[in-house]
C-alpha cells in the first residue's frame, strides 16, 4: 500500500519530524516511540469516528489538537504525541492513510532502535521467504478463528532469539497492522528498514546461489544504473535454469534462460 497526493506529502513531513526527534535520543527511547506509534495507529484504525474527526479538513486544527492531546498526552511518549499533533494539522487523501502512516513511522522508529538496520532488512526478508515456502504457516497466521495471542506465541516460538529484538517485534506487528496478510506487511516493513539504511530494495531471482564477489559486482552495477544504493534480496529459483531477473519497484530486468526459452517458443508458435 502506498499513499498518494496530500497523504504522501504528510508522510514525508512526519518522517522528517520523527528522524529529527530520534536523532537526539537513544535506542530504548526509539523502541518506545515505535510501540506508541503502533498503539496510536491501532486506535485510529479501529475507531472510525475519531479517525474521521482528526482528518476532517472542516474541523479547526486547534480543536483537533486539543482532542488528541486530551486523549493521549501523558499516556504515550511526548515524541509520539507531537507527531500525532502534527498529523492532525496536515491534509490526508483518505482517512485510512493516517493510521497506515503512523504504523510505518512505528516501523521506522523500531528499525532505528536496532544496532544494525541492514540486518533487520535481511531478517525480515528471510522470514518472508519462510512464509512463502510454508503456505500452511501463512494460512495459520491468517486464520480468523485463531486468537491474536495464539498467533503471536507461534511467531515467538518460530523466531526465538535467532533474530534481532527489533526484527522480532516487527514480525509480531505484522499480524496487527493495516495490511491484508503478515506476508504483505513483512515486505512493506522491509522496504522501510532498507530506506532507514539509505537503500532501496531490489529482488534478484537466480537459478543458483551467487558468490559474494558476483553479488557485489551486481550491486555496484545496479547502483550506478539507478543512482541510489540498493539492498539486494536474493531468491534462488532453480526453474530459471540460468541468468537472473531483477525487480526494482515497477522495473523488471529479465535475463533468465527460462525467459529466453519462453520468448523463443512464443516466436515459433506465432
Amino acid at each position: 500500500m502506498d499513499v498518494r497526493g496530500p497523504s504522501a506529502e504528510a508522510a514525508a513531513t512526519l518522517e522528517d519530524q520523527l528522524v529529527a526527534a530520534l536523532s537526539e535520543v537513544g535506542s530504548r527511547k526509539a523502541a518506545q516511540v515505535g510501540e506508541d506509534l503502533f498503539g496510536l495507529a491501532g486506535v485510529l484504525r479501529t475507531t472510525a469516528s475519531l479517525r474521521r474527526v482528526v482528518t476532517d479538513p472542516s474541523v479547526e486544527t486547534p480543536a483537533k489538537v486539543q482532542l488528541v492531546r486530551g486523549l493521549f498526552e501523558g499516556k504515550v511518549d511526548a515524541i509520539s504525541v507531537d507527531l500525532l499533533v502534527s498529523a492532525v494539522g496536515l491534509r490526508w487523501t483518505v482517512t485510512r492513510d493516517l493510521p497506515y502512516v503512523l504504523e510505518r513511522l512505528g516501523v521506522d522508529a523500531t528499525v532505528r532502535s536496532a544496532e544494525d538496520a541492514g540486518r533487520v532488512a535481511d531478517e525480515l526478508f528471510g522470514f518472508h521467504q519462510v512464509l512463502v515456502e510454508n503456505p500452511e504457516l501463512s494460512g495459520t497466521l491468517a486464520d480468523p478463528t485463531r486468537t491474536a495471542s495464539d498467533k503471536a506465541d507461534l511467531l515467538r516460538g518460530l523466531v526465538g532469539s535467532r533474530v534481532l529484538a527489533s526484527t522480532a517485534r516487527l514480525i509480531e506487528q505484522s499480524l496487527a497492522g493495516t495490511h491484508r496478510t503478515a506476508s504483505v506487511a513483512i515486505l512493506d516493513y522491509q522496504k522501510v528498514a532498507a530506506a532507514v539504511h539509505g537503500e532501496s530494495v531490489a529482488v534478484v531471482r537466480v537459478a543458483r546461489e551467487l558468490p559474494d564477489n558476483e553479488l557485489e559486482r551486481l550491486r555496484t552495477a545496479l547502483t550506478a544504473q539507478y543512482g541510489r544504493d540498493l539492498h539486494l534480496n536474493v531468491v534462488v529459483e532453480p526453474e530459471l535454469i540460468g541468468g537472473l531477473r531483477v525487480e526494482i519497484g515497477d522495473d523488471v530486468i529479465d535475463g533468465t534462460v527460462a525467459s529466453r526459452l519462453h520468448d523463443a517458443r512464443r516466436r515459433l508458435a506465432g
Side-chain angles (χ1 to χ4, degrees):
M1 173 178 172
D2 288 317
V3 294
R4 302 182 185 279
S7 291
E9 296 174 13
T13 298
L14 294 171
E15 183 179 4
D16 289 344
Q17 181 177 333
L18 175 69
V19 172
L22 294 185
S23 67
E24 301 178 358
V25 301
S27 59
R28 183 174 297 181
K29 173 75 80 171
Q32 182 58 57
V33 170
E35 287 294 328
D36 291 342
L37 290 169
F38 289 147
L40 291 173
V43 170
L44 287 164
R45 185 173 59 253
T46 57
T47 313
S49 57
L50 175 62
R51 186 176 67 248
R52 283 194 296 269
V53 169
V54 298
T55 57
D56 187 343
S58 69
V59 178
E60 294 290 335
T61 296
K64 292 189 282 190
V65 169
Q66 183 179 10
L67 174 61
V68 298
R69 285 201 181 278
L71 288 172
F72 302 112
E73 204 157 42
K75 298 175 184 175
V76 298
D77 189 87
I79 292 174
S80 304
V81 173
D82 288 345
L83 282 164
L84 183 56
V85 165
S86 296
V88 301
L90 298 169
R91 291 184 58 217
W92 297 92
T93 309
V94 291
T95 64
R96 68 176 179 271
D97 286 348
L98 174 54
Y100 171 71
V101 168
L102 289 176
E103 181 184 345
R104 274 200 136 205
L105 292 173
V107 175
D108 193 313
T110 302
V111 171
R112 291 179 191 276
S113 73
E115 60 267 28
D116 186 347
R119 181 177 164 188
V120 173
D122 285 334
E123 289 176 345
L124 287 172
F125 183 71
F127 188 74
H128 176 263
Q129 289 304 108
V130 170
L131 294 178
V132 170
E133 293 164 10
N134 295 273
E136 288 187 4
L137 173 60
S138 297
T140 298
L141 295 177
D143 187 349
T145 66
R146 288 182 174 264
T147 67
S149 176
D150 284 345
K151 294 175 185 179
D153 288 344
L154 173 61
L155 287 181
R156 280 191 287 269
L158 283 172
V159 301
S161 59
R162 292 184 289 276
V163 298
L164 295 173
S166 296
T167 307
R169 179 63 189 91
L170 293 176
I171 289 173
E172 186 174 337
Q173 175 61 27
S174 70
L175 297 173
T178 57
H179 299 79
R180 275 190 337 276
T181 65
S183 180
V184 172
I186 292 293
L187 276 186
D188 193 35
Y189 295 174
Q190 196 231 354
K191 291 178 183 178
V192 177
V196 168
H197 199 53
E199 299 175 327
S200 297
V201 173
V203 178
V204 180
R205 302 184 186 277
V206 293
R208 59 174 179 80
E209 290 282 358
L210 295 179
D212 290 344
N213 62 327
E214 289 187 27
L215 276 177
E216 191 53 40
R217 283 201 298 272
L218 177 61
R219 189 194 325 272
T220 299
L222 290 172
T223 296
Q225 180 175 345
Y226 282 87
R228 60 183 187 272
D229 290 334
L230 293 171
H231 185 97
L232 302 188
N233 289 340
V234 180
V235 181
V236 177
E237 297 180 354
E239 61 270 21
L240 296 178
I241 304 173
L244 54 83
R245 174 186 171 98
V246 180
E247 302 162 8
I248 304 174
D250 294 331
D251 287 355
V252 176
I253 304 169
D254 196 339
T256 61
V257 172
S259 175
R260 292 197 292 272
L261 289 173
H262 174 73
D263 287 346
R265 285 193 295 269
R266 189 174 56 189
R267 286 195 296 271
L268 287 172

